[in-house]
Amino acid sequence: MDEAKSKPSYGGTFRHLRMTFGIKQKDMAGAGISIQTVSRFEHNDAGLEIRNADTLLGFLPATLYEYVQSNVWLPLDGFDGFLNYMGVLMVQPNAAKLMAKAALNARITYARCGEDKYLFRAVMFAGATDDERQRHRERAVVMRHLLAVRQWTNYEFVLFRRALNGTLELDDTRQLWSKLVGVDNRRTRLNQRRQLLQVDALLTVLARAIEWGDYRLARRTLVTLQELDDIGGDTSHLLRMRGLEAQLAMRDPHGDAEAGRQLMRQLIDAAEFLGDKAMVTRLSNKLAAAEQELKLRS
Amino acid sequence: MADKEIGAAFRELRTQKGYTLKYAARGVVSVQFLSQFERGQSSISLARLAALLTNIHVSVVELASMPELSVINWLDLWAFQLDAVRRGLDDVYLDATIAPERLRPVVELVNRLAVVAPDERRNLLNRGEAGLIARTVTASKHYGVYTNLVVHYGAFTLASSLRRVAEQRLSEVNLTAELPYLQAGSTFGAMSSLVEVEIYLGNIQRAEQLLRQMRLRPMASDTAALITLRVLEAELALRRGDEAAANGLRDRLLGTLQLLGNQADYNRQVRYFDRVWRELGVRAHG
């Protein structure tokens, strides 16, 4: 079967979701929309007004998020489609290879038509190009977009974070700082989701700053993170942040290396207790690298 | 839901990002139409709206989360409110009228269950009300956010056979399609409630089996999920009568939360343990 796959469309996906919920078209009459309207939408994507789409989804019931996530055929053009597609690729066993291929295809399309969105897509898939000259050109295009957008939405936070993998330079963060920290802290659904991406981006900045020895930027970023009102409540972020805090304390010449060491050991201990093997390995490697640097310094 | 609200929300996003009407409209609609849409004077199809959002690099989900669209996608809003209640945030009001009429009775029941402690949920509903929860659990072939929330809060009202049905359907969920969501709307959240019921009822082997299954799921690599698993292990130890192990796990968990530095999470967990120790501690000896 899989009508959603044979006929990529909003309507086809809705039909697929409706059938998964075990709801018949005639059941939808209770939503105040005629069977004919539902049928036309499901088969032709025809003319479903947004107000009715919300009613139909609510009837299933499914969130807009679930609808979007179940629609692997959302046009890749859209950010939802792109995130969907990236999510599907990331869980494949050969994810890195697939993302690199997707990035290459996006760069080829960009070279052909010159539309920035394809370049941004390439960067979000797989970071920087190997060609140094091209990297400089791409950096300029990405910076132009990130600076031009007055207030970042989820798209810019994702683009920025991925661009830090080699397209952007760490110093570019200083120019973009006001955008990075400009998320409304009022507790709404929008801000909660946006803040999660903002924190992701800031943690990436912190990690890079420590890695490249820009301790001033690292300290500034850490303070910013610590002062954020936690509306997202993401415990994984907290663990990551404390790990970076420990690393910074050990590597920063102005830091308290012994306090950093103790914190790192406590975090490794906590990760072991929770059974997070990947985190134990990561933190242990960071501790070893920091100890090595301290040894060289002394 | 008024088209006016959607148009206004789109305009807010467009101007926030600094895009002109012409830029946003390109290739999709005329500038004039877009202007009318933003002012609520024209309605628009889902496909065209998605294309406009593509032009300004905003996701459909983000638009739907705008504060101006207070009633769009009621289920998303409900999950957000329930999550706020779970986190102990006190400025939340649970209102069943946000739901479509046919679902309001169930939503109202879940709202009542959400504000009391798990052990109190068992006797909170009358037979008819518990039947509504049960029917939702069995009628839903597809478990998504809505059914996860019903299972999460209604687990204690379910008979053992219905809990098995829920466990089976939750185990069939394609987790790659379930990207991180609010905890209470997740498969993991629903399963953890089912484990808790088995612990409270003293079904030790069943609880252990479910915990093992939960550990294998990809979402269990998330820090919050790992903490939840350890909390359940602590409860299980207490239920088995192994107070030393239970207290040890509890103290280490609280130590971990303190180390992570979120005081609100720490305080909430302390209150949670106090209540569970009171409820289970009595049973473990009685």
Side-chain angles (χ1 to χ4, degrees), chain B residues 199-276:
Chain B
I199 293 172
Y200 267 71
L201 293 176
N203 301 332
I204 308 292
Q205 272 188 329
R206 184 89 200 132
E208 284 170 348
Q209 187 188 348
L210 290 173
L211 262 179
R212 272 196 300 273
Q213 284 171 17
M214 282 177 76
R215 278 214 172 272
L216 294 172
R217 296 172 84 80
M219 296 306 276
S221 61
D222 170 70
T223 306
L226 290 171
I227 288 172
T228 300
L229 288 171
R230 286 306 222 167
V231 168
L232 289 170
E233 282 172 18
E235 287 185 38
L236 190 54
L238 192 65
R239 194 68 180 89
R240 275 200 298 257
D242 191 347
E243 252 186 82
N247 290 341
L249 282 168
R250 180 197 59 194
D251 294 344
R252 280 207 75 179
L253 273 162
L254 291 176
T256 301
L257 289 173
Q258 251 184 335
L259 185 65
L260 292 180
N262 186 320
Q263 196 60 40
D265 272 349
Y266 173 81
N267 292 342
R268 184 172 62 251
Q269 202 61 57
V270 166
R271 284 193 301 271
Y272 177 88
F273 279 134
D274 284 346
R275 178 179 52 71
V276 170

Coordinates of all heavy atoms in Angstrom, one line a residue, chain B residues 199-276:
Chain B
I199 N 5.0 -1.5 39.9 CA 5.8 -1.4 41.1 C 4.9 -1.3 42.3 O 4.9 -2.0 43.3 CB 6.8 -0.3 41.1 CG1 7.9 -0.6 40.0 CG2 7.4 0.0 42.4 CD1 8.9 0.6 39.8
Y200 N 3.9 -0.3 42.1 CA 3.0 -0.1 43.2 C 2.1 -1.3 43.6 O 1.8 -1.5 44.7 CB 2.1 1.1 42.9 CG 2.6 2.5 43.4 CD1 3.8 3.0 42.8 CD2 2.0 3.1 44.4 CE1 4.3 4.2 43.2 CE2 2.5 4.3 44.9 CZ 3.6 4.9 44.3 OH 4.1 6.1 44.7
L201 N 1.8 -2.1 42.6 CA 1.0 -3.2 42.8 C 1.8 -4.4 43.3 O 1.2 -5.5 43.6 CB 0.2 -3.6 41.5 CG -0.8 -2.6 41.0 CD1 -1.4 -3.0 39.7 CD2 -1.9 -2.5 42.1
G202 N 3.1 -4.3 43.3 CA 4.0 -5.4 43.8 C 4.3 -6.4 42.7 O 4.7 -7.5 43.1
N203 N 4.0 -6.1 41.5 CA 4.3 -7.1 40.4 C 5.8 -6.9 40.0 O 6.1 -6.3 38.9 CB 3.4 -6.8 39.2 CG 1.9 -7.0 39.6 OD1 1.6 -7.7 40.5 ND2 1.0 -6.3 38.9
I204 N 6.6 -7.4 40.8 CA 8.1 -7.1 40.7 C 8.6 -7.6 39.4 O 9.3 -6.9 38.7 CB 8.9 -7.7 41.9 CG1 8.2 -7.3 43.2 CG2 10.3 -7.4 41.8 CD1 8.4 -5.9 43.6
Q205 N 8.3 -8.9 39.1 CA 8.9 -9.4 37.8 C 8.5 -8.7 36.6 O 9.2 -8.4 35.7 CB 8.5 -10.9 37.7 CG 9.4 -11.9 38.4 CD 9.0 -13.3 38.1 OE1 7.9 -13.7 37.9 NE2 10.0 -14.2 38.2
R206 N 7.2 -8.3 36.6 CA 6.6 -7.6 35.4 C 7.3 -6.2 35.3 O 7.7 -5.8 34.2 CB 5.1 -7.4 35.7 CG 4.5 -6.7 34.5 CD 4.0 -7.7 33.5 NE 3.8 -7.0 32.2 CZ 4.2 -7.5 31.0 NH1 4.9 -8.6 31.0 NH2 4.0 -6.8 29.9
A207 N 7.5 -5.6 36.4 CA 8.2 -4.3 36.4 C 9.6 -4.4 35.9 O 10.1 -3.6 35.1 CB 8.1 -3.7 37.9
E208 N 10.3 -5.4 36.4 CA 11.7 -5.6 36.0 C 11.8 -5.9 34.5 O 12.6 -5.4 33.8 CB 12.3 -6.8 36.7 CG 12.7 -6.5 38.2 CD 13.1 -7.7 39.0 OE1 12.8 -8.8 38.5 OE2 13.6 -7.5 40.1
Q209 N 10.8 -6.7 34.0 CA 10.8 -7.0 32.5 C 10.6 -5.7 31.7 O 11.3 -5.5 30.7 CB 9.7 -8.0 32.3 CG 9.6 -8.5 30.8 CD 8.4 -9.4 30.6 OE1 7.6 -9.7 31.5 NE2 8.1 -9.7 29.4
L210 N 9.6 -4.9 32.1 CA 9.4 -3.6 31.4 C 10.5 -2.7 31.5 O 10.9 -2.0 30.5 CB 8.1 -3.0 32.0 CG 6.8 -3.6 31.7 CD1 5.7 -3.0 32.5 CD2 6.5 -3.6 30.2
L211 N 11.2 -2.6 32.6 CA 12.4 -1.8 32.8 C 13.5 -2.2 31.8 O 14.1 -1.4 31.2 CB 12.9 -1.8 34.2 CG 12.5 -0.7 35.1 CD1 13.1 -0.9 36.5 CD2 12.9 0.6 34.6
R212 N 13.6 -3.5 31.7 CA 14.7 -4.0 30.7 C 14.3 -3.6 29.3 O 15.2 -3.2 28.6 CB 14.7 -5.6 30.8 CG 15.7 -6.1 31.8 CD 16.0 -7.6 31.6 NE 14.8 -8.4 31.6 CZ 14.2 -8.9 32.7 NH1 14.8 -8.7 33.9 NH2 13.1 -9.7 32.6
Q213 N 13.1 -3.7 28.9 CA 12.6 -3.3 27.6 C 12.9 -1.8 27.4 O 13.4 -1.4 26.3 CB 11.2 -3.5 27.4 CG 10.8 -5.0 27.1 CD 9.3 -5.2 27.2 OE1 8.5 -4.3 27.0 NE2 8.9 -6.5 27.3
M214 N 12.6 -1.0 28.4 CA 12.8 0.4 28.3 C 14.3 0.8 28.1 O 14.6 1.7 27.4 CB 12.3 1.1 29.6 CG 10.8 1.3 29.5 SD 10.1 2.0 31.1 CE 10.6 3.7 30.8
R215 N 15.1 0.1 28.8 CA 16.6 0.3 28.7 C 17.1 0.2 27.2 O 18.1 0.8 26.8 CB 17.4 -0.6 29.6 CG 17.4 -0.1 31.0 CD 18.7 -0.5 31.7 NE 18.8 0.2 33.0 CZ 19.2 1.4 33.2 NH1 19.7 2.1 32.3 NH2 19.2 1.9 34.5
L216 N 16.4 -0.7 26.5 CA 16.9 -1.0 25.1 C 16.5 0.0 24.1 O 17.0 0.1 23.0 CB 16.4 -2.4 24.7 CG 16.9 -3.6 25.5 CD1 16.2 -4.9 25.1 CD2 18.4 -3.7 25.2
R217 N 15.5 0.9 24.5 CA 15.0 1.8 23.5 C 16.0 3.0 23.3 O 16.6 3.5 24.2 CB 13.6 2.4 24.0 CG 12.6 1.3 24.0 CD 11.3 1.8 24.7 NE 10.5 2.4 23.7 CZ 9.7 1.8 22.9 NH1 9.7 0.5 22.8 NH2 8.9 2.5 22.0
P218 N 16.1 3.5 22.1 CA 17.1 4.6 21.8 C 16.8 5.8 22.6 O 17.8 6.4 23.1 CB 16.8 4.9 20.3 CG 16.1 3.7 19.7 CD 15.4 3.0 20.8
M219 N 15.6 6.1 22.9 CA 15.4 7.4 23.7 C 16.0 7.2 25.1 O 16.1 8.3 25.8 CB 13.9 7.6 23.8 CG 13.2 7.9 22.5 SD 14.0 9.2 21.6 CE 13.2 10.7 22.3
A220 N 16.3 6.0 25.5 CA 16.8 5.8 26.9 C 18.2 6.4 27.0 O 18.8 6.3 28.1 CB 16.7 4.4 27.3
S221 N 18.8 6.8 25.9 CA 20.1 7.4 26.0 C 20.1 8.9 26.4 O 21.1 9.5 26.7 CB 20.9 7.2 24.7 OG 20.2 7.9 23.7
D222 N 18.9 9.4 26.4 CA 18.7 10.8 26.8 C 18.9 10.9 28.3 O 18.5 10.0 29.1 CB 17.3 11.3 26.4 CG 16.9 12.6 27.0 OD1 17.5 13.6 26.6 OD2 16.1 12.6 27.9
T223 N 19.6 12.0 28.9 CA 19.9 12.1 30.3 C 18.6 12.0 31.2 O 18.6 11.3 32.2 CB 20.7 13.3 30.6 OG1 21.8 13.4 29.8 CG2 21.1 13.4 32.0
A224 N 17.6 12.7 30.8 CA 16.3 12.7 31.5 C 15.8 11.3 31.6 O 15.2 10.9 32.6 CB 15.3 13.7 31.0
A225 N 15.8 10.6 30.5 CA 15.3 9.2 30.4 C 16.1 8.3 31.4 O 15.6 7.5 32.1 CB 15.3 8.7 29.0
L226 N 17.5 8.5 31.3 CA 18.3 7.6 32.2 C 18.0 7.9 33.7 O 18.0 7.0 34.5 CB 19.8 7.9 31.9 CG 20.3 7.5 30.6 CD1 21.7 8.0 30.3 CD2 20.3 5.9 30.5
I227 N 17.8 9.2 34.0 CA 17.4 9.5 35.4 C 16.1 8.8 35.7 O 15.9 8.2 36.8 CB 17.3 11.0 35.6 CG1 18.7 11.6 35.5 CG2 16.6 11.4 36.9 CD1 18.8 13.1 35.5
T228 N 15.1 8.9 34.8 CA 13.8 8.2 35.1 C 14.0 6.8 35.4 O 13.4 6.2 36.3 CB 12.9 8.5 33.9 OG1 12.7 9.8 33.7 CG2 11.5 7.8 34.1
L229 N 14.8 6.1 34.6 CA 15.0 4.7 34.8 C 15.6 4.4 36.2 O 15.2 3.4 36.8 CB 16.0 4.1 33.7 CG 15.4 4.0 32.3 CD1 16.5 3.7 31.3 CD2 14.3 3.0 32.2
R230 N 16.6 5.2 36.6 CA 17.2 5.0 37.9 C 16.1 5.3 39.0 O 16.1 4.6 40.0 CB 18.4 5.9 38.1 CG 19.6 5.5 37.3 CD 20.0 4.1 37.6 NE 21.4 3.9 37.7 CZ 21.9 2.8 38.3 NH1 21.2 1.8 38.7 NH2 23.3 2.7 38.3
V231 N 15.3 6.3 38.8 CA 14.2 6.5 39.8 C 13.3 5.3 39.9 O 13.0 4.9 41.0 CB 13.4 7.8 39.4 CG1 12.1 7.9 40.2 CG2 14.2 9.0 39.5
L232 N 12.9 4.7 38.8 CA 12.1 3.5 38.8 C 12.8 2.4 39.5 O 12.2 1.6 40.2 CB 11.7 3.1 37.4 CG 10.7 4.1 36.7 CD1 10.5 3.8 35.2 CD2 9.3 4.1 37.4
E233 N 14.1 2.2 39.3 CA 14.9 1.2 40.0 C 14.9 1.4 41.5 O 14.8 0.4 42.2 CB 16.3 1.2 39.4 CG 16.4 0.5 38.1 CD 17.8 0.7 37.5 OE1 18.8 1.0 38.2 OE2 17.9 0.5 36.3
A234 N 15.0 2.6 41.9 CA 14.9 2.9 43.3 C 13.6 2.6 43.9 O 13.5 1.9 45.0 CB 15.2 4.4 43.5
E235 N 12.5 2.9 43.2 CA 11.2 2.5 43.7 C 11.0 1.0 43.7 O 10.4 0.5 44.7 CB 10.1 3.1 42.7 CG 9.9 4.6 42.8 CD 8.8 5.1 41.9 OE1 7.8 4.4 41.7 OE2 8.9 6.1 41.3
L236 N 11.6 0.3 42.7 CA 11.5 -1.1 42.7 C 12.2 -1.7 43.9 O 11.7 -2.7 44.5 CB 12.0 -1.6 41.3 CG 11.8 -3.1 40.9 CD1 10.4 -3.4 41.0 CD2 12.4 -3.3 39.5
A237 N 13.4 -1.2 44.2 CA 14.1 -1.7 45.3 C 13.3 -1.6 46.6 O 13.3 -2.5 47.4 CB 15.5 -1.0 45.4
L238 N 12.7 -0.4 46.7 CA 11.9 -0.1 47.9 C 10.7 -1.1 48.0 O 10.4 -1.7 49.1 CB 11.4 1.3 47.9 CG 10.8 1.8 49.2 CD1 11.9 1.9 50.3 CD2 10.2 3.2 49.0
R239 N 10.1 -1.4 46.9 CA 9.0 -2.3 46.9 C 9.4 -3.7 47.2 O 8.6 -4.4 47.8 CB 8.3 -2.2 45.5 CG 6.9 -2.8 45.4 CD 6.0 -2.0 46.2 NE 4.6 -2.5 46.2 CZ 4.1 -3.4 47.1 NH1 4.9 -3.9 48.1 NH2 2.9 -3.8 47.0
R240 N 10.6 -4.0 46.9 CA 11.1 -5.4 47.2 C 11.5 -5.5 48.7 O 11.8 -6.6 49.1 CB 12.4 -5.7 46.3 CG 12.1 -6.2 45.0 CD 13.4 -6.9 44.4 NE 14.5 -6.0 44.3 CZ 14.9 -5.4 43.2 NH1 14.3 -5.7 42.1 NH2 15.9 -4.6 43.2
G241 N 11.5 -4.4 49.3 CA 11.9 -4.4 50.7 C 13.4 -4.1 51.0 O 13.9 -4.2 52.1
D242 N 14.1 -3.8 49.9 CA 15.6 -3.5 50.0 C 15.8 -2.0 50.2 O 16.1 -1.3 49.3 CB 16.3 -4.0 48.7 CG 17.8 -4.0 48.9 OD1 18.3 -3.4 49.9 OD2 18.5 -4.6 48.1
E243 N 15.5 -1.6 51.5 CA 15.6 -0.2 51.8 C 17.0 0.4 51.6 O 17.1 1.6 51.1 CB 15.1 0.1 53.2 CG 13.8 0.7 53.3 CD 13.4 1.1 54.7 OE1 13.8 2.2 55.2 OE2 12.6 0.3 55.3
A244 N 18.0 -0.4 51.9 CA 19.4 0.2 51.8 C 19.7 0.5 50.3 O 20.2 1.6 50.0 CB 20.4 -0.9 52.3
A245 N 19.3 -0.4 49.4 CA 19.6 -0.2 48.0 C 18.8 1.0 47.5 O 19.2 1.8 46.8 CB 19.3 -1.4 47.2
A246 N 17.5 1.0 47.9 CA 16.6 2.1 47.5 C 17.1 3.5 48.0 O 17.2 4.4 47.2 CB 15.2 1.9 48.0
N247 N 17.5 3.5 49.2 CA 18.0 4.8 49.8 C 19.3 5.2 49.1 O 19.6 6.4 48.8 CB 18.3 4.7 51.3 CG 17.0 4.6 52.0 OD1 15.9 5.0 51.5 ND2 17.1 4.1 53.3
G248 N 20.2 4.2 48.8 CA 21.4 4.5 48.1 C 21.2 5.1 46.7 O 21.8 6.1 46.3
L249 N 20.3 4.5 46.0 CA 19.9 5.0 44.6 C 19.3 6.4 44.7 O 19.7 7.3 43.9 CB 18.9 4.0 43.9 CG 19.5 2.8 43.3 CD1 18.4 1.8 43.0 CD2 20.3 3.1 42.1
R250 N 18.4 6.5 45.7 CA 17.8 7.8 45.8 C 18.8 8.9 46.1 O 18.8 10.0 45.5 CB 16.8 7.8 47.0 CG 16.1 9.1 47.3 CD 15.4 9.1 48.7 NE 16.4 8.9 49.7 CZ 16.1 8.6 51.0 NH1 14.8 8.4 51.3 NH2 17.1 8.4 51.8
D251 N 19.8 8.6 47.1 CA 20.8 9.6 47.4 C 21.7 10.0 46.3 O 22.0 11.1 46.0 CB 21.6 9.2 48.6 CG 20.7 9.1 49.9 OD1 19.6 9.6 49.9 OD2 21.1 8.4 50.9
R252 N 22.0 8.9 45.5 CA 22.9 9.2 44.4 C 22.2 10.0 43.3 O 22.8 10.9 42.6 CB 23.4 7.9 43.8 CG 24.6 7.3 44.6 CD 25.5 6.4 43.8 NE 26.4 7.2 42.9 CZ 27.3 6.6 42.1 NH1 27.4 5.3 42.1 NH2 28.0 7.4 41.4
L253 N 20.9 9.7 43.1 CA 20.1 10.5 42.1 C 20.1 12.0 42.5 O 20.3 12.9 41.7 CB 18.7 9.9 42.0 CG 18.6 8.8 41.0 CD1 17.4 8.0 41.2 CD2 18.6 9.3 39.5
L254 N 19.8 12.2 43.8 CA 19.7 13.6 44.2 C 21.0 14.3 44.1 O 21.1 15.4 43.8 CB 19.2 13.6 45.7 CG 17.7 13.2 45.8 CD1 17.3 13.2 47.3 CD2 16.8 14.2 45.1
G255 N 22.1 13.5 44.4 CA 23.4 14.1 44.3 C 23.7 14.4 42.8 O 24.3 15.5 42.5
T256 N 23.3 13.6 41.9 CA 23.4 13.9 40.5 C 22.7 15.2 40.1 O 23.2 16.0 39.3 CB 23.0 12.7 39.6 OG1 23.7 11.5 40.0 CG2 23.2 13.0 38.1
L257 N 21.5 15.3 40.5 CA 20.7 16.5 40.2 C 21.3 17.7 40.8 O 21.3 18.8 40.1 CB 19.2 16.3 40.7 CG 18.4 15.3 39.9 CD1 17.1 15.1 40.5 CD2 18.2 15.8 38.4
Q258 N 21.9 17.6 41.9 CA 22.5 18.8 42.5 C 23.8 19.1 41.7 O 24.1 20.3 41.5 CB 23.0 18.4 44.0 CG 22.2 19.1 45.0 CD 22.6 18.9 46.4 OE1 23.3 17.8 46.7 NE2 22.3 19.8 47.3
L259 N 24.5 18.1 41.3 CA 25.7 18.3 40.5 C 25.3 19.1 39.2 O 26.1 19.9 38.7 CB 26.3 17.0 40.2 CG 27.7 17.0 39.4 CD1 28.7 17.6 40.3 CD2 28.1 15.6 39.1
L260 N 24.2 18.7 38.6 CA 23.8 19.3 37.3 C 23.3 20.8 37.5 O 23.3 21.6 36.6 CB 22.7 18.5 36.7 CG 23.1 17.2 36.1 CD1 21.9 16.5 35.5 CD2 24.2 17.3 35.1
G261 N 23.0 21.1 38.8 CA 22.8 22.5 39.1 C 21.4 23.1 38.9 O 21.2 24.3 39.0
N262 N 20.4 22.2 38.6 CA 19.1 22.8 38.4 C 18.3 22.6 39.7 O 17.8 21.5 40.0 CB 18.4 22.1 37.2 CG 17.0 22.7 36.9 OD1 16.3 23.1 37.8 ND2 16.7 22.8 35.6
Q263 N 18.2 23.7 40.4 CA 17.6 23.6 41.7 C 16.1 23.2 41.7 O 15.6 22.5 42.5 CB 17.7 25.0 42.4 CG 17.4 25.0 43.9 CD 18.4 24.1 44.7 OE1 19.6 24.1 44.4 NE2 17.9 23.4 45.6
A264 N 15.4 23.7 40.7 CA 14.0 23.3 40.5 C 13.8 21.8 40.4 O 12.9 21.2 41.0 CB 13.3 24.1 39.4
D265 N 14.6 21.3 39.5 CA 14.5 19.8 39.3 C 14.9 19.1 40.6 O 14.2 18.1 40.9 CB 15.6 19.4 38.2 CG 15.0 19.5 36.8 OD1 13.8 19.6 36.7 OD2 15.8 19.4 35.9
Y266 N 15.9 19.5 41.3 CA 16.3 18.9 42.5 C 15.2 18.9 43.5 O 14.8 17.9 44.1 CB 17.6 19.6 43.1 CG 18.0 19.1 44.4 CD1 18.7 17.9 44.6 CD2 17.6 19.8 45.6 CE1 19.1 17.5 45.8 CE2 18.0 19.3 46.8 CZ 18.7 18.2 47.0 OH 19.1 17.7 48.2
N267 N 14.6 20.1 43.7 CA 13.5 20.2 44.7 C 12.3 19.4 44.4 O 11.7 18.7 45.2 CB 13.1 21.7 44.8 CG 14.1 22.6 45.4 OD1 15.1 22.1 46.1 ND2 14.0 23.9 45.2
R268 N 12.0 19.3 43.1 CA 10.9 18.5 42.7 C 11.1 17.0 43.0 O 10.3 16.3 43.4 CB 10.6 18.7 41.2 CG 9.4 18.0 40.7 CD 9.0 18.3 39.3 NE 10.0 18.0 38.3 CZ 10.8 18.9 37.7 NH1 10.6 20.2 37.9 NH2 11.7 18.5 36.8
Q269 N 12.4 16.6 42.7 CA 12.7 15.2 42.9 C 12.7 14.9 44.4 O 12.3 13.7 44.8 CB 14.1 14.9 42.3 CG 14.3 13.4 42.0 CD 13.3 12.8 41.0 OE1 13.2 13.3 39.9 NE2 12.6 11.8 41.4
V270 N 13.1 15.8 45.2 CA 13.1 15.5 46.7 C 11.7 15.3 47.1 O 11.4 14.4 47.9 CB 13.7 16.7 47.5 CG1 13.4 16.7 48.9 CG2 15.2 16.8 47.3
R271 N 10.8 16.2 46.7 CA 9.3 16.1 47.1 C 8.8 14.7 46.5 O 8.0 14.1 47.2 CB 8.5 17.2 46.5 CG 8.7 18.5 47.2 CD 7.6 19.5 46.8 NE 7.6 19.8 45.3 CZ 8.3 20.8 44.8 NH1 9.1 21.5 45.5 NH2 8.3 21.0 43.5
Y272 N 9.2 14.4 45.3 CA 8.7 13.1 44.7 C 9.2 11.9 45.5 O 8.3 11.1 45.9 CB 9.3 13.0 43.3 CG 8.9 11.8 42.6 CD1 7.7 11.7 41.8 CD2 9.7 10.7 42.6 CE1 7.4 10.5 41.2 CE2 9.4 9.5 41.9 CZ 8.2 9.4 41.2 OH 7.9 8.3 40.6
F273 N 10.4 11.9 45.9 CA 10.9 10.8 46.7 C 10.2 10.7 48.0 O 9.9 9.6 48.5 CB 12.4 10.9 46.9 CG 13.2 10.3 45.7 CD1 14.3 11.0 45.2 CD2 12.9 9.1 45.1 CE1 15.0 10.6 44.1 CE2 13.6 8.6 44.0 CZ 14.7 9.4 43.5
D274 N 10.1 11.9 48.7 CA 9.4 11.9 50.0 C 8.0 11.2 49.9 O 7.6 10.4 50.7 CB 9.2 13.3 50.5 CG 10.5 13.9 51.0 OD1 11.4 13.2 51.2 OD2 10.6 15.2 51.2
R275 N 7.3 11.6 48.8 CA 5.9 11.0 48.7 C 6.0 9.5 48.4 O 5.3 8.7 49.0 CB 5.2 11.8 47.5 CG 3.8 11.2 47.3 CD 3.1 12.0 46.2 NE 3.8 12.1 44.9 CZ 4.1 11.1 44.1 NH1 3.6 9.9 44.4 NH2 4.8 11.3 43.0
V276 N 6.8 9.1 47.5 CA 6.9 7.7 47.1 C 7.4 6.9 48.3 O 6.9 5.8 48.5 CB 7.9 7.5 45.9 CG1 8.1 6.0 45.6 CG2 7.3 8.1 44.6

